[in-house]
């Protein structure tokens, strides 16, 4: 470890040489009441606003103002097919084919809609496997699916737990569960990147294991989309869902994304909930024809979508296209590696990083466990202008996002943490 790397000069040098450095200025970085720019480390919770989002929204407001209903066909970006403008970029970000991806609804709603298709319990195979510390909404969703199908939500839930003294999931444990109970498990539904530890799971390995035991496999990629190379198509997963307001910077409560593997694209035997937007576009407005399902993920849509939300997603995806998702991943690995390096200087007796060390098993987030810490530490950090995220009992989650965070941010964060801990 070089002394040089511990200096502010080193961090500033890294920022100067960062090929993506111009992007930070294309985001609004919030400031404190006193006018100091925050060190914003919660892009994993709500991504920052791109400056161009406003003009994308204004375009749609103006088209609505000037064209009314005609905007469906006459708007600069006709609303009828607006969702198509998002598909290719979104497919690239999650490593899927365009036919496998649709932007619609919100994450938990999509999870339910896809379980309508991919959770088909029978008398003997009806259980759902999730990770033991799943995001609460995911747990509630799968429990309610169990009840919906007349099963007991305690007995029907199989938990993939971590081994003693570690917060990380391992595949041997999963395989053991599947060996014993695989024949009873209808669906495996886990978070692709764990929201708490930041662990990026091997989606392909889990899918292959699950399929080997006859289970359907789906992933919640809320913390993965825009953060890690998900390669959803190659993973072979049956489905995946994610939101766009975390790493995809599309604004609070914005629409979610869905992936349904190509091998299901033309299936008519899959149960699904439908609406007029799942129906063949050429006859949709005749309103009289029998249901004629659109092939691929588009065939899971229900309603005509909210264009304003899609416009803010487009503003963000255009930036991803411009910067190149692979370039963002390269910077992400450097930035988080630097963050890890600085944190380690604080000493193992003070802090422990529970996120995997291997850069291929994580995204940009590091989850930091601080000895004897409680929420007052988090409050002190906030007071010092560091916006991080506290999870009970003792974990601080920080996500230096390659699009807008800097090496300087990371350096100053660790300096402030050091100062607070020494007090
Ligand atoms: C953020 C997040 C959600 C949020 O669900 P919404 O339906 O968008 O409110 C769900 N699951 C996971 C794993 C998340 O990280």
């Amino acid at each position: 470890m070089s002394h040089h790397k511990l200096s502010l000069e080193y961090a500033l040098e890294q920022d100067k040489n960062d090929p993506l450095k111009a992007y930070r200025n294309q985001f609004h970085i919030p400031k404190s009441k006193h006018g100091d720019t925050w060190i914003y480390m919660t892009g994993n919770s709500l991504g920052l606003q791109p400056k161009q989002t406003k003009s994308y929204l204004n375009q749609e407001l103006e088209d609505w103002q000037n064209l009314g209903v005609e905007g469906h066909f006459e708007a600069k970006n006709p609303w009828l097919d607006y969702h198509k403008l998002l598909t290719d970029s979104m497919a690239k970000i999650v490593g899927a084919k365009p036919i496998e991806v649709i932007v619609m609804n919100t994450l938990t709603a999509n999870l339910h809609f896809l379980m309508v298709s991919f959770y088909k319990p029978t008398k003997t195979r009806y259980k759902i496997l999730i990770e033991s510390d799943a995001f609460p909404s995911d747990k509630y969703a799968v429990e309610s699916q169990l009840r919906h199908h007349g099963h007991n939500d305690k007995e029907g839930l199989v938990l993939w737990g971590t081994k003693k003294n570690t917060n990380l999931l391992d595949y041997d444990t999963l395989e053991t569960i599947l060996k014993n109970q695989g024949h009873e498990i209808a669906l495996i539904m886990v978070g692709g990147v764990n929201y708490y530890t930041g662990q990026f799971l091997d989606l392909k390995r889990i899918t292959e294991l699950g399929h080997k035991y006859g289970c359907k496999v789906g992933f919640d990629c809320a913390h993965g989309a825009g953060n890690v190379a998900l390669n959803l198509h190659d993973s072979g997963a049956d489905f995946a869902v994610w939101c766009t307001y975390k790493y995809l910077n599309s604004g609070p409560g914005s629409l979610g994304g869905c992936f349904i593997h190509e091998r299901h694209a033309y299936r008519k035997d899959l149960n699904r909930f439908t609406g007029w937007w799942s129906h063949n576009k050429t006859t949709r407005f005749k309103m009289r024809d029998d249901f004629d399902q659109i092939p691929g993920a588009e065939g899971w849509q229900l309603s005509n979508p909210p264009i304003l939300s899609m416009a803010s997603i487009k503003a963000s995806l255009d930036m991803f296209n411009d910067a190149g998702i692979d370039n963002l991943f390269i910077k992400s690995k450097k930035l988080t590696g630097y963050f890890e390096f600085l944190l380690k200087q604080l000493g193992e007796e003070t802090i422990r990083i529970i996120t995997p060390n291997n850069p291929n098993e994580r995204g940009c987030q590091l989850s930091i466990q601080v000895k004897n810490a409680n929420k007052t530490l988090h409050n002190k950090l906030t007071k010092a202008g560091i916006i991080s995220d506290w999870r009970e009992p003792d974990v601080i989650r920080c996500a230096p996002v390659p699009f807008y965070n800097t090496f300087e941010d990371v350096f100053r964060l660790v300096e402030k943490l050091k100062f607070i801990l020494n007090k």
Side-chain angles (χ1 to χ4, degrees):
M1 93 193 60
S2 78
H3 181 68
H4 181 58
K5 285 188 175 176
L6 294 168
S7 67
L8 175 62
E9 287 68 34
Y10 176 83
L12 294 174
E13 186 71 19
Q14 297 307 301
D15 286 330
K16 210 174 103 195
N17 297 330
D18 169 14
L20 300 178
K21 65 183 168 199
Y23 286 99
R24 175 178 171 87
N25 194 35
Q26 295 183 33
F27 286 88
H28 293 289
I29 317 279
K31 290 185 165 73
S32 75
K33 275 184 270 182
H34 314 293
D36 307 317
T37 301
W38 278 346
I39 297 178
Y40 192 82
M41 287 286 154
T42 46
N44 57 338
S45 183
L46 183 69
L48 291 178
Q49 184 186 136
K51 288 181 180 168
Q52 67 183 19
T53 300
K54 201 172 263 177
S55 65
Y56 280 61
L57 287 172
N58 277 338
Q59 177 71 50
E60 301 317 316
L61 287 172
E62 274 168 33
D63 285 345
W64 177 27
Q65 178 181 322
N66 297 325
L67 298 164
V69 73
E70 294 299 314
H72 281 112
F73 307 97
E74 304 294 331
K76 183 170 171 232
N77 298 310
W79 302 330
L80 199 60
D81 271 333
Y82 199 101
H83 65 277
K84 294 281 234 185
L85 300 173
L86 312 178
T87 304
D88 287 0
S89 321
M90 191 62 97
K92 220 186 283 171
I93 285 172
V94 297
K97 298 187 177 182
I99 197 171
E100 297 173 317
V101 168
I102 185 70
V103 172
M104 64 177 194
N105 310 320
T106 49
L107 190 157
T108 307
N110 285 332
L111 184 55
H112 278 296
F113 288 125
L114 293 179
M115 284 196 279
V116 166
S117 300
F118 295 103
Y119 174 52
K120 301 294 293 167
T122 66
K123 257 203 157 61
T124 52
R125 187 190 278 274
Y126 60 91
K127 295 186 176 176
I128 305 178
L129 180 142
I130 61 171
E131 72 275 40
S132 60
D133 58 350
F135 193 84
S137 188
D138 295 1
K139 183 155 180 271
Y140 304 151
V142 299
E143 284 172 344
S144 68
Q145 285 281 333
L146 282 160
R147 291 194 297 274
H148 175 67
H149 287 278
H151 297 289
N152 181 302
D153 57 21
K154 298 260 170 330
E155 190 254 344
L157 203 64
V158 178
L159 296 179
W160 174 13
T162 55
K163 281 192 179 144
K164 254 209 173 118
N165 301 324
T166 159
N167 298 80
L168 302 179
L169 295 160
D170 73 276
Y171 306 97
D172 292 339
T173 304
L174 176 64
E175 189 154 16
T176 306
I177 296 172
L178 289 172
K179 261 185 202 144
N180 295 329
Q181 297 181 70
H183 60 286
E184 295 174 341
I185 295 172
L187 175 69
I188 294 175
M189 210 306 290
V190 295
V193 175
N194 187 273
Y195 80 100
Y196 184 70
T197 62
Q199 181 181 15
F200 175 23
L201 294 170
D202 187 336
L203 308 189
K204 189 172 185 159
R205 188 162 172 188
I206 295 169
T207 303
E208 282 171 0
L209 266 174
H211 285 171
K212 184 172 140 194
Y213 288 91
C215 320
K216 289 280 179 287
V217 180
F219 294 103
D220 180 336
C221 294
H223 283 265
N227 180 31
V228 293
L230 291 165
N231 293 322
L232 288 177
H233 176 81
D234 287 342
S235 79
D238 293 289
F239 71 90
V241 293
W242 58 94
C243 54
T244 64
Y245 49 80
K246 291 173 179 165
Y247 293 103
L248 296 178
N249 310 323
S250 76
S254 194
L255 294 175
C258 291
F259 162 90
I260 297 129
H261 198 278
E262 190 181 30
R263 66 179 174 276
H264 303 302
Y266 295 92
R267 287 180 63 180
K268 299 226 161 145
D269 59 315
L270 276 176
N271 190 39
R272 69 176 84 190
F273 287 166
T274 53
W276 67 329
W277 242 247
S278 0
H279 178 90
N280 184 342
K281 275 173 270 189
T282 56
T283 57
R284 181 181 286 157
F285 291 96
K286 289 192 192 157
M287 312 279 200
R288 297 274 187 281
D289 298 12
D290 285 341
F291 181 65
D292 179 8
Q293 161 193 315
I294 307 179
E298 271 192 68
W300 267 267
Q301 296 175 104
L302 299 140
S303 299
N304 81 99
I307 298 301
L308 291 175
S309 175
M310 288 199 162
S312 70
I313 296 174
K314 184 163 176 4
S316 166
L317 296 184
D318 284 356
M319 287 179 74
F320 273 89
N321 272 336
D322 192 55
I325 187 79
D326 293 330
N327 297 328
L328 286 161
F329 292 154
I330 291 169
K331 175 175 171 188
S332 180
K333 285 204 161 84
K334 274 193 203 155
L335 191 58
T336 295
Y338 181 58
F339 185 25
E340 182 183 39
F341 166 80
L342 292 177
L343 285 170
K344 284 196 168 154
Q345 310 303 315
L346 302 183
E348 295 249 359
E349 60 293 345
T350 317
I351 67 136
R352 193 166 79 95
I353 299 169
I354 63 173
T355 308
N357 302 120
N358 182 344
N360 297 321
E361 292 176 22
R362 67 185 186 204
C364 69
Q365 172 187 325
L366 293 183
S367 303
I368 308 157
Q369 216 167 25
V370 184
K371 260 270 166 62
N372 304 322
N374 54 38
K375 191 136 197 252
T376 55
L377 170 65
H378 178 253
N379 294 343
K380 283 179 188 165
L381 284 169
T382 307
K383 241 182 153 172
I386 296 162
I387 308 304
S388 64
D389 172 288
W390 176 261
R391 288 285 143 164
E392 293 294 340
D394 56 358
V395 166
I396 299 171
R397 299 187 303 171
C398 292
V401 170
F403 240 142
Y404 47 76
N405 283 119
T406 58
F407 289 82
E408 184 185 354
D409 278 346
V410 165
F411 179 83
R412 292 199 187 278
L413 188 166
V414 178
E415 285 298 295
K416 288 188 178 186
L417 183 62
K418 210 188 304 183
F419 181 77
I420 289 168
L421 290 176
N422 284 339
K423 285 218 113 177

